[in-house]
Amino acid sequence: VSAKVTFAGHDSVVDCGHRETLLRAGLRAGLQLPYECASGGCGSCRAQIVNGEVETLWEDAVGLTERDRRRGNRLLMCQSMPTGDCVIKAPSTSIPEGVEEPAPERFAAHLAGRELLTSDTALFTLELDASLRFLPGQFMLFESDSGIRRAYSMAHPLGKGSAVEFVIRAKPDGAASKWLFEELTDGDALTIEGPYGRAYARPNTTRPVLCVAGGTGLAPILAITEHLLSAGGQPSLHLYVGARADGDLVLLERLLQLRDSGALVSLSAEQLSGAVGDHPLAPVRNGLVIEHVANDWPQLAKHDIYLAGPAGMVDAALRAFVRGGDAKADRVFFDRFIA
Ligand SMILES: Cc1cc2nc3c(=O)[nH]c(=O)nc-3n(C[C@H](O)[C@H](O)[C@H](O)COP(=O)(O)OP(=O)(O)OC[C@H]3O[C@@H](n4cnc5c(N)ncnc54)[C@H](O)[C@@H]3O)c2cc1C
Ligand code: FES
């Protein structure tokens, strides 16, 4: 134990391990703390430090505003590690009834496979030193020896023994992208931490379901769709998958299996080159996936909606479906890939 952290408002004193973030320590202790990205990008884990000091993983994290910084006592729990005992005033959130979120842990892992699906997107398989329990739709933080920490979502619903799969797109000049695509080779070790994320599948619903993926948002949406189809209950499940170009639509065979298990699958791309050919899931619709969903479903009040993909796409969907439409905000579950 390196520090005792008092979470004021939660009536709780938590042991925080060496180089453990406040967020992980609090979640591990079962506190209902608000968070979304666990990566410093969204600001939803903002808290106040009342007493003591912390070390910050990412000084310029965009989750803190200039106003927060001027106040001097605001921090992001996902980016802060106490350097001694401290008192934190953190808001709380409510976890859905009946859901048990697995506590985030650290795992030793090694790269067991990296299969290129397009020129910049690959299916990564990691072997872990222990089996990982997670809810479909959750993500892990990948950590390099040099301290890069980035979030990636599991691409299947349940642990496949000790192997876990991810779909990752390389961002030009991105630090993690360079590490994962150019430096890491088969058998190399890395640490992963999690599971994190609250945009997980809510099975046993009697509401129709829409699952909407943009780009590598496909990973958590595959996990959620597969899980909901095997749990059953929902009267229908429509799966929308969007990409910039039709050549970027990947894992079509897995999408086909989901169609055969009962999902109605629709593919969208902003640019069409005929790359999908006469695949059984063709034709690919031309345009933005969000516009296709909005056109197909002028009424969304009865739906459960799962969204994952680039932050811009998810924000546009929230504007169209919740603010501009009648979707119920508490039945929209979203994962913004803040990159
Ligand atoms: C919840 C979630 C799930 C995600 N799931 C996936 C997925 O399944 N597949 C996928 O391809 N991508 C996913 N991403 C995006 C992914 O985490 C990376 O952002 C992306 O791979 C680009 O990282 P990069 O390091 O290559 O690029 P960079 O441009 O180097 O970094 C990306 C972003 O990380 C942030 N950043 C910069 N410096 C730091 C720092 N010191 N510490 C912490 N953050 C910093 C900045 O916001 C930056 O824009 C997810 C993101 C989130 C938040
Ligand atoms: S900034 Fe901490 S959860 Fe997003």
Side-chain angles (χ1 to χ4, degrees), residues 115 117 122-125 134 136 153-158 160 164-167 218-227 229 239 241 249-263 265 267 279 281:
E115 180 196 338
L117 303 172
L123 181 70
F124 281 71
T125 306
F134 63 92
S153 310
M154 280 66 87
H156 51 85
L158 298 168
K160 298 182 166 184
V164 189
E165 286 176 354
F166 303 85
V167 180
L218 180 63
I221 290 295
L222 276 176
I224 290 168
T225 304
E226 209 176 302
H227 182 68
L229 288 174
L239 169 58
V241 180
L249 291 162
V250 297
L251 299 177
L252 295 182
E253 294 315 302
R254 280 182 66 179
L255 294 176
L256 197 55
Q257 282 169 14
L258 294 175
R259 190 190 74 176
D260 293 344
S261 307
V265 181
L267 304 180
H279 189 277
L281 292 174

Side-chain angles (χ1 to χ4, degrees), residues 117-118 243 245-250 269 271 273 275-276:
L117 303 172
T118 68
D246 49 0
D248 294 323
L249 291 162
V250 297
Q271 297 150 28
S273 66
V276 171

Side-chain angles (χ1 to χ4, degrees), residues 160-184:
K160 298 182 166 184
S162 56
V164 189
E165 286 176 354
F166 303 85
V167 180
I168 302 179
R169 177 164 172 258
K171 177 178 171 185
D173 301 321
S177 301
K178 188 165 185 298
W179 166 49
L180 293 170
F181 281 80
E182 293 172 29
E183 294 164 13
L184 202 68

Side-chain angles (χ1 to χ4, degrees), residues 36-41 57-59 62 79 139 147-154 166-178 180 216-217 219-220 335-339:
E36 183 191 323
C37 69
S39 309
L57 280 169
W58 180 21
E59 275 306 330
V62 292
Q79 299 299 309
F139 62 89
I148 300 168
R149 267 164 75 95
R150 297 287 188 271
Y152 297 102
S153 310
M154 280 66 87
F166 303 85
V167 180
I168 302 179
R169 177 164 172 258
K171 177 178 171 185
D173 301 321
S177 301
K178 188 165 185 298
L180 293 170
T216 50
D335 218 355
R336 290 184 293 176
F337 289 8
I338 300 155

Side-chain angles (χ1 to χ4, degrees), residues 203-232:
N204 309 318
T205 181
T206 52
R207 299 163 65 86
V209 174
L210 295 181
C211 290
V212 186
T216 50
L218 180 63
I221 290 295
L222 276 176
I224 290 168
T225 304
E226 209 176 302
H227 182 68
L228 290 179
L229 288 174
S230 63

Side-chain angles (χ1 to χ4, degrees), residues 63-84:
L64 277 186
T65 61
E66 278 317 308
R67 196 153 165 245
D68 290 330
R69 289 183 208 281
R70 277 199 304 274
R71 283 180 168 154
N73 61 351
R74 296 295 197 275
L75 53 71
L76 296 173
M77 291 185 283
C78 71
Q79 299 299 309
S80 304
M81 299 176 306
T83 52

